[in-house]
Amino acid sequence: MSSSDARPSIYDDLKRQGVSRRSFISYCTYMASLLALPPSAAQAIADTLTNKSRPSVIWLSVQECTGCSESLLRSFEPTLEGLIFDQFSLDYHHVLQAAAGIAAERARDQAIERNFGKYVLIIDGGIPTGRSGVLSTTGGKSGVELIRAAARGAALIVAVGSCAAYGGIPAAAPNPTNSGGALDALRDLIDQGAVTAPIINAPGCPPVPEVMTGVIVYFLTYGKSPPLDDLSRPIPFFGRTVHDDCPRLPFFDQGLFAKTFDDEGARRGYCLKDLGCKGPTTFNACTTVKWNQKTSFPMLSGHGCLGCAQPKFWDREGGFYGKLF
Ligand code: SF4
Ligand code: SF4
């Protein structure tokens, strides 16, 4: 136990699960590089995860498909990334908690009360405000009501996935439930000063798991959010387009484009822009962090980017396979 707090630290728990100090330090070094921090930051991250007690996390889901939770927690084998997230104290999670019914609702309210001002609030799913929000309810309360109540006591708010960030698929035209993102649902409370926590959008459909863990680790280490862009996305992960780091970029620059998914150009690795790739206008970390235990990403495996981390990607003119330009 490394802190005076009753909860063990993240590292204490990792050690119990057999994670070696070497793996832990190499994870901290990796996280520092993902967050575009100097190498010395790895030590600060390691000290934080070793000495601070596990943060309380309240995860509220509204109009969602569970893909964001799956992205983080359902890897083929436990990764250090997944284990780190497991060590955050998930005091309330619609999908993962064992409790149900009144007991679950009580657990959420108690977690908010006990950790008021200190917990991380994670939101996934679009937030419907049509018909006063009753189109999505839990325990008789609307999603928007639950989120607004929980946001008041949060130290950090992370909207994971494109639905929580911008409304996503539930907000697709004609948006029958008047769904929107967390910032839309909280705007007036932010303006009134009733919600003071930094709000970070971590879009993607699903979001890259390292982004979710990375922003929380950054917050624990430095007590603030990483620098954000004009869509409230953390710049270390969303500062570049997937096109900027795509291995097909040399072919794009030469004007060499595949015309079908099985032509000679596709076999040679030509650029997929003419097959609908939205990489040039999509900011995300897929090409650098990669998916499936850092195995691959769409353009590497032969498909274009759908632009899932951008607002309104579902409604884009021309659809998934329409040419950008
Ligand atoms: S495949 Fe897409 S991301 Fe890659 S170079 Fe072509 S347009 Fe850019
Ligand atoms: S490559 Fe594009 S569509 Fe695929 S996950 Fe990354 S941002 Fe989303």
Side-chain angles (χ1 to χ4, degrees):
M1 183 85 55
S2 314
S3 90
S4 55
D5 196 302
R7 295 174 195 258
S9 77
I10 289 173
Y11 178 60
D12 287 333
D13 274 341
L14 290 175
K15 236 182 355 187
R16 254 199 301 277
Q17 296 192 51
V19 174
S20 68
R21 185 74 188 169
R22 179 186 288 267
S23 306
F24 173 69
I25 293 295
S26 95
Y27 172 82
C28 295
T29 306
Y30 171 63
M31 194 42 78
S33 78
L34 283 184
L35 287 162
L37 295 167
S40 57
Q43 189 58 51
I45 292 172
D47 289 346
T48 299
L49 299 184
T50 301
N51 296 318
K52 278 198 180 165
S53 58
R54 300 182 309 175
S56 168
V57 175
I58 294 173
W59 182 314
L60 297 180
S61 303
V62 197
Q63 289 172 308
E64 49 83 46
C65 67
T66 311
C68 299
S69 300
E70 294 283 340
S71 168
L72 188 63
L73 302 169
R74 298 279 184 253
S75 50
F76 289 113
E77 57 193 50
T79 58
L80 193 50
E81 186 68 31
L83 286 176
I84 293 265
F85 196 84
D86 286 349
Q87 302 323 319
F88 297 155
S89 181
L90 274 171
D91 284 319
Y92 183 86
H93 189 299
H94 274 140
V95 177
L96 300 174
Q97 66 199 356
I102 291 168
E105 303 313 300
R106 196 178 298 134
R108 180 197 58 230
D109 293 343
Q110 286 172 348
I112 289 176
E113 200 182 315
R114 202 170 47 241
N115 301 294
F116 200 85
K118 291 187 287 194
Y119 55 83
V120 177
L121 173 62
I122 296 184
I123 301 168
D124 72 329
I127 304 159
T129 53
R131 298 204 204 166
S132 307
V134 298
L135 297 162
S136 171
T137 62
T138 302
K141 292 186 179 157
S142 70
V144 66
E145 184 184 354
L146 290 170
I147 280 163
R148 286 166 68 86
R152 289 171 184 268
L156 174 70
I157 300 173
V158 188
V160 300
S162 292
C163 299
Y166 320 122
I169 293 171
N175 193 1
T177 62
N178 196 33
S179 186
L183 278 164
D184 302 321
L186 298 172
R187 177 67 59 204
D188 60 322
L189 295 180
I190 297 165
D191 292 344
Q192 292 159 19
V195 170
T196 53
I199 302 179
I200 299 174
N201 281 336
C205 188
V208 174
E210 282 81 352
V211 179
M212 296 188 249
T213 312
V215 294
I216 298 178
V217 166
Y218 187 100
F219 180 76
L220 292 177
T221 306
Y222 298 104
K224 59 183 183 182
S225 84
L228 304 178
D229 69 8
D230 57 359
L231 292 174
S232 297
R233 302 178 295 195
I235 290 173
F237 294 105
F238 293 91
R240 293 170 65 79
T241 65
V242 297
H243 172 82
D244 289 332
D245 299 299
C246 179
R248 295 175 191 260
L249 187 56
F251 293 111
F252 174 93
D253 289 339
Q254 294 171 64
L256 294 172
F257 304 107
K259 301 299 175 193
T260 66
F261 283 110
D262 59 355
D263 68 8
E264 188 54 27
R267 274 190 280 279
R268 291 182 181 195
Y270 285 5
C271 171
L272 303 169
K273 176 186 76 71
D274 286 355
L275 294 169
C277 182
K278 309 296 188 294
T281 56
T282 302
F283 291 81
N284 204 354
C286 313
T287 40
T288 46
V289 179
K290 299 184 183 170
W291 289 95
N292 297 334
Q293 276 113 1
K294 309 184 191 355
T295 310
S296 189
F297 52 91
M299 294 76 78
L300 190 61
S301 57
H303 197 282
C305 166
L306 302 179
C308 78
Q310 294 301 122
K312 298 188 181 299
F313 83 101
W314 197 259
D315 286 329
R316 206 188 274 265
E317 201 176 330
F320 287 164
Y321 296 97
K323 285 196 330 187
L324 256 186
F325 48 82

